[in-house]
Amino acid sequence: MSKKRQWRKGEKLRIVLIVATVILALLLIGIIAFTLIASRYLNMMNYATVNTTKSAEEISSIREDGSELISSGETVTTGKVELPPEILDPVIQGENVVNILLIGQDRRLGQGTQRSDSMILVTFNKTKGKVTLTSFMRDQYVHIPGHGNDKLCHAYAYGGMTLLNQTLYDHFGVEIDGNVEVDFSGFESIIDILGGVELDLTKKEARHLNKLEGWSLKEGINVLTGEQALLYSRIRSIDNDYSRTERQRKVLMSLIEEYKNQDLGTTMKMAEEFLPLVTTDIPQNQVMTYVMELFPMMSGAKVETLRIPVDGTFKGGYVRISGTNRKMWCQYDIDFGANREILQKIFDN
């Protein structure tokens, strides 16, 4: 080989190495920049701390708030929570399934941890390309570790995310990968930041909301503000709590459908405003992993909804509060095994 050809070959190799080095440097700079930007956004969120133990007086107040006195001669069930040993194994959750629990907390300004007014499990099944929104009824009569039989929503008031997650695991075998919580004022603000939420109201729903606040909502499609969306999500006087959980899922469904095709830049810009309003127990590095894994699948994901417990697997009525002469309305005598079978179909790959 001539010296000229050797020089050309060596020159080409140097050029390739220079180009590769530049590309690698740019890639490294991009990764560092992304990490710094992502960290800035993640630092905007509130991160959950271990809840302090509530006093006996606080616990009594939580249990009796909203309850009613048992009238003379009235027969009220004591309620049972049956957990047969054969169904105590966790529901099998595939490695490509991620469960994030969204918690709507019944807390006002100045209050500590309160009840979980809404609990919606968002299940991302990456294998099936499917997202499932599962509402857990707040009034389910369950056994809360350390507190006896009580309403499911009280688990969050007693011990925050940790106790609520443990209670869900004990009864339904659900393994929660992370929690995201927002209180009422935060919910309103997030909806307003997003420009409202589009919902199809029934004539009865529109009339009820108008009567409450003097609004001019109509039957059919409306764009609700944060305040209107919150009141809509809490309606149950015109029907029941089952319809209320359906309304909560409708709000979430509408937001997902509206924003699931947004580009990452637009989403990050909106996130800058609403991230300070949420609290999570997901570590920052895991949040970044979920964003990278789950954001791309959202645009083409099929979204389904579910309510637990499902119809035909429980009774509804008043249950006596242990050691008192008061009663509270619950879903009781729940067939947890049947509900686990339903959840298994969602979690299976």
Side-chain angles (χ1 to χ4, degrees), residues 200-207 218-220 238 250:
D200 189 359
L201 302 183
T202 66
K203 186 175 182 179
K204 189 181 289 187
E205 289 168 342
R207 183 186 299 156
K218 62 183 185 303
E219 180 182 6
I238 64 173
K250 282 182 177 178

Side-chain angles (χ1 to χ4, degrees), residues 93-261:
Q93 182 173 313
E95 61 180 20
N96 285 322
V97 172
V98 177
N99 281 324
I100 305 296
L101 185 65
L102 303 184
I103 303 168
Q105 185 180 188
D106 184 7
R107 180 180 62 189
R108 275 76 172 181
L109 188 64
Q111 291 183 324
T113 305
Q114 300 296 312
R115 303 172 187 80
S116 47
D117 193 67
S118 66
M119 294 157 281
I120 300 179
L121 184 68
V122 184
T123 301
F124 299 90
N125 192 319
K126 293 180 281 185
T127 301
K128 294 181 178 179
K130 185 173 71 172
V131 177
T132 306
L133 310 178
T134 303
S135 294
F136 285 90
M137 300 291 290
R138 68 189 295 273
D139 294 332
Q140 293 181 76
Y141 195 61
V142 297
H143 182 79
I144 301 175
H147 296 276
N149 295 345
D150 209 333
K151 288 187 178 185
L152 177 61
C153 63
H154 290 173
Y156 190 73
Y158 298 155
M161 297 172 180
T162 302
L163 187 58
L164 175 58
N165 289 177
Q166 183 62 53
T167 305
L168 287 172
Y169 178 84
D170 289 347
H171 296 78
F172 300 103
V174 173
E175 296 184 90
I176 307 296
D177 295 302
N179 299 271
V180 176
E181 178 266 318
V182 63
D183 60 23
F184 288 164
S185 60
F187 175 87
E188 286 187 31
S189 299
I190 289 172
I191 295 295
D192 288 334
I193 288 168
L194 296 175
V197 58
E198 187 176 278
L199 292 168
D200 189 359
L201 302 183
T202 66
K203 186 175 182 179
K204 189 181 289 187
E205 289 168 342
R207 183 186 299 156
H208 176 75
L209 292 171
N210 291 338
K211 185 178 179 181
L212 284 177
E213 297 293 335
W215 292 320
S216 300
L217 300 171
K218 62 183 185 303
E219 180 182 6
I221 300 298
N222 294 261
V223 177
L224 303 190
T225 65
E227 182 184 6
Q228 291 168 339
L230 177 61
L231 288 179
Y232 169 82
S233 300
R234 303 197 74 203
I235 293 174
R236 62 175 171 179
S237 60
I238 64 173
D239 35 46
N240 51 48
D241 204 38
Y242 311 116
S243 297
R244 180 171 71 160
T245 61
E246 184 180 356
R247 291 186 186 98
Q248 292 167 358
R249 293 193 299 274
K250 282 182 177 178
V251 171
L252 197 53
M253 281 277 289
S254 178
L255 292 175
I256 288 175
E257 290 300 325
E258 176 70 22
Y259 295 101
K260 73 178 184 179
N261 292 317

